Amino acid sequence: MALMLQAAPLAAPGGSMYRQVLDPLAGSLSWSALCAALPLLALFVLLGVFQVRAQTAALASLVLSLSLAVVVWDMPLPQALSGAVEGGFYGLFPIMWILVNALWIYRMTEITGWFAVLRRSFRTISSDQRVQGIVIAFCFGALIEALAGFGTPVAITAVMLIAVGIAPIKAATVALVANTAPVAFGSMAVPLTTLAGVTGLPLDDLGAMAGRQTPLIAAFIPLLLVFLLDGRRGVRETWPVAVVAGLTFGCAQFVAANYISVETTDIIAGVVTLATVLGFMRVWQPRTVQRDPEAPAEADSEDREGSGSAVMSFAPYLIICALFALTQVGPVKEWLAGHGVAQFTWPGLDVESPGGEPAAAMTFKLEHLKAAGTILLAAGLLTMALYRVGPGRALRAYGATLRQLRWTVVTVTSVLALAWVMNLSGQTATLGTALAQTGAAFALFSPIVGWLGVAVTGSDTSANSLFGVLQVTAAQKTGLDPVLLAAANSTGGVLGKMLSPQNLAVAAAAIGMAGSEGTIFRKVIGWSLGLLAGFALLIYLQSTPVLGWMTV
């Protein structure tokens, strides 16, 4: 039975209310910000330097954040623990709910042999793995991001890259780096819709501004992917298709975001780019064919390939696209919005922002019917019927998926618990506010704030919820354009997604190498920081007459 619940707020134990403080350490915002950064620094150092397993690093950082919340920010321990539980539950639903069902669908295609057919189908486009990386991770991944998001593109494309013979760690790295340009408009533009909701700025204005920023990221990503796959030789030999893919996606994003529809931007860009690349490959192929020398030998064995219809091998992904598209149809979208939604104040929390407003993170919205994971579950059931997978076999596949993801569950729930503790205690606000003290130069730091939010939460939507108002407030105080800085929070944030512990855990689980998050982290952090530096300079120049014409 459909359920619509709006629960009354539940007070914290003892009726104690906690108000966030921005400068709890000796009354200094700077020292407080350095203190607030410690859990993040600990997380990244444990992962990248000491190569600690992700679940251990995440738990250690969570304990540190809880300690700082109670000792430095003076947050009541019961409320800090309640906030951690809320974040952990969000890690289970919707994040892990999406990942489990996405990988379950993949596992069914594998046990029925259809994934081998899919691998063969991609090889018919081109037998060159650098081209396959662009088609799978960039083009196909953008379509999945447009519909699902929340790590689904990384999980699916990483597995598909391994299937065409790319080594697992390299496949995970490519999938993570590719999952950047589409993210701001992902999940039918939910990040920007959320940003418009929290800031009060028009969605069309935010979408148009983002459409003048993310295309510049998109233009470089395919070139970066072929470099990751084959170094300078890869760029030298496959730059034509990389340039075609990047420019096509960027131009399509710009046109769709500015003149068609913000919500359908990634769908339009993904479809146009995929069609363009497929057409281009009919008239051009690289001079030499590249195979990954690190790939398992069986990946190249043609006699292991399955036989069957290419359409049938793509069917689960076509079903996913169709179901997500159906949820955006007017009557269906309205029905889902009015049914199956539970929204309530999380028990045990009574938190106010420094300005005295109720903290947004106290409210938990459970959308079990329209959740991406639920739609993927429905797609899995249809895949069962299409591939004639019996209930017993399907349940065994589901159980195997859960076993594969057991440590990923620990990592993701711990990271989201960390994010919620930092948000509710005021640690995140302290970090953002400290950066906002730089005056007109804040335009240079604006995307860094969004990057920080996504690096912590793994979600551009969450980063916009955390820092959207901060960006607008800072813009008003410094005389900068609020739309420019708010959009930069989202577009800069996407560059932090590749090194978010949540997404690292998703990638490691997808390639069957849970525990390799530190290795993957070291592969992507340089690219994340390098792209962020260039993008921050772009936003700063857009705030000046040098590139101000791009924002008009």
Side-chain angles (χ1 to χ4, degrees):
M1 182 176 66
L3 171 67
M4 179 60 149
L5 174 63
Q6 178 69 50
L10 298 176
S16 60
M17 184 273 294
Y18 169 70
R19 175 172 288 189
Q20 298 170 352
V21 180
L22 295 177
D23 54 355
L25 191 60
S28 168
L29 181 61
S30 299
W31 284 110
S32 299
L34 288 174
C35 187
L38 289 177
L40 302 180
L41 291 174
L43 181 61
F44 293 140
V45 168
L46 288 173
L47 278 175
V49 178
F50 294 103
Q51 303 182 38
V52 175
R53 286 183 174 270
Q55 62 268 23
T56 305
L59 285 170
S61 300
L62 171 60
V63 171
L64 178 56
S65 181
L66 281 168
S67 302
L68 292 173
V70 174
V71 176
V72 178
W73 272 261
D74 203 27
M75 187 179 193
L77 178 60
Q79 294 210 51
L81 292 174
S82 180
V85 172
E86 182 188 7
F89 185 79
Y90 187 84
L92 292 175
F93 194 98
I95 306 299
M96 289 308 303
W97 181 233
I98 294 170
L99 182 59
V100 168
N101 289 315
L103 290 183
W104 175 54
I105 293 173
Y106 155 71
R107 191 173 290 273
M108 285 194 292
T109 66
E110 188 179 43
I111 63 176
T112 56
W114 283 106
F115 203 82
V117 182
L118 180 63
R119 177 172 58 204
R120 188 198 65 208
S121 301
F122 275 114
R123 286 180 175 171
T124 62
I125 299 171
S126 174
S127 55
D128 189 283
Q129 291 179 349
R130 299 163 299 188
V131 176
Q132 292 167 349
I134 293 175
V135 173
I136 295 172
F138 187 71
C139 301
F140 189 63
L143 284 175
I144 301 174
E145 176 66 36
L147 299 168
F150 290 99
T152 308
V154 173
I156 291 177
T157 60
V159 172
M160 296 174 77
L161 290 170
I162 293 175
V164 297
I166 296 174
I169 293 294
K170 190 176 289 186
T173 304
V174 169
L176 285 165
V177 173
N179 190 222
T180 48
V183 169
F185 295 96
S187 301
M188 304 299 291
V190 165
L192 290 173
T193 302
T194 302
L195 184 62
V198 299
T199 62
L201 298 172
L203 174 62
D204 290 342
D205 291 351
L206 290 170
M209 187 66 72
R212 298 166 195 173
Q213 297 168 348
T214 56
L216 297 173
I217 299 175
F220 289 100
I221 292 299
L223 286 168
L224 178 52
L225 298 184
V226 296
F227 181 83
L228 290 170
L229 288 167
D230 193 31
R232 294 181 180 178
R233 182 181 63 177
V235 176
R236 186 172 62 251
E237 295 181 356
T238 60
W239 68 264
V241 66
V243 170
V244 166
L247 291 181
T248 301
F249 191 89
C251 291
Q253 259 195 339
F254 169 78
V255 172
N258 282 271
Y259 304 110
I260 302 176
S261 166
V262 176
E263 290 89 345
T264 60
T265 293
D266 272 352
I267 294 178
I268 293 171
V271 170
V272 170
T273 305
L274 186 58
T276 302
V277 170
L278 293 179
F280 184 73
M281 295 310 298
R282 290 181 176 272
V283 299
W284 177 91
Q285 287 288 338
R287 241 180 252 178
T288 58
V289 174
Q290 170 65 18
R291 296 295 183 91
D292 192 341
E294 301 175 21
E298 60 267 21
D300 292 324
S301 179
E302 293 297 331
D303 60 1
R304 293 174 180 264
E305 299 287 358
S307 61
S309 164
V311 175
M312 280 289 288
S313 69
F314 276 101
Y317 305 102
L318 296 175
I319 290 171
I320 292 171
C321 291
L323 288 179
F324 274 103
L326 181 63
T327 62
Q328 300 303 314
V329 174
V332 178
K333 184 177 182 179
E334 291 175 6
W335 187 87
L336 288 173
H339 297 76
V341 179
Q343 182 170 305
F344 54 91
T345 299
W346 191 264
L349 289 177
D350 188 5
V351 180
E352 289 185 354
S353 69
E357 299 294 326
M362 288 194 304
T363 302
F364 196 94
K365 191 173 184 180
L366 187 66
E367 299 177 310
H368 49 280
L369 288 182
K370 64 181 294 187
T374 304
I375 297 171
L376 287 169
L377 176 63
L381 296 174
L382 292 175
T383 300
M384 280 177 57
L386 181 67
Y387 288 168
R388 298 180 182 179
V389 180
R393 198 179 181 193
L395 284 174
R396 287 193 295 273
Y398 206 95
T401 303
L402 290 174
R403 285 193 298 274
Q404 175 188 347
L405 295 175
R406 61 189 183 279
W407 291 116
T408 306
V409 171
V410 177
T411 301
V412 171
T413 53
S414 299
V415 168
L416 269 296
L418 166 67
W420 254 249
V421 171
M422 291 187 66
N423 183 24
L424 285 165
S425 66
Q427 295 172 51
T428 304
T430 296
L431 278 171
T433 304
L435 287 173
Q437 303 303 304
T438 54
F442 181 66
L444 188 66
F445 296 101
S446 176
I448 298 176
V449 173
W451 178 91
L452 178 67
V454 177
V456 174
T457 66
S459 166
D460 199 38
T461 301
S462 298
N464 288 342
S465 298
L466 289 174
F467 294 131
V469 174
L470 173 66
Q471 296 275 12
V472 172
T473 302
Q476 292 169 343
K477 290 181 177 179
T478 57
L480 296 169
D481 182 359
V483 174
L484 173 65
L485 298 196
N489 189 83
S490 189
T491 52
V494 306
L495 299 173
K497 198 171 179 69
M498 67 179 77
L499 52 70
S500 162
Q502 171 194 312
N503 288 286
L504 291 172
V506 169
I511 63 175
M513 296 179 64
S516 64
E517 292 87 354
T519 301
I520 302 171
F521 174 81
R522 290 190 296 277
K523 298 251 182 212
V524 300
I525 185 170
W527 298 111
S528 177
L529 293 174
L531 288 168
L532 177 64
F535 192 75
L537 179 60
L538 168 70
I539 299 302
Y540 175 73
L541 292 177
Q542 285 186 330
S543 72
T544 70
V546 176
L547 293 181
W549 54 268
M550 294 179 64
T551 66
V552 178

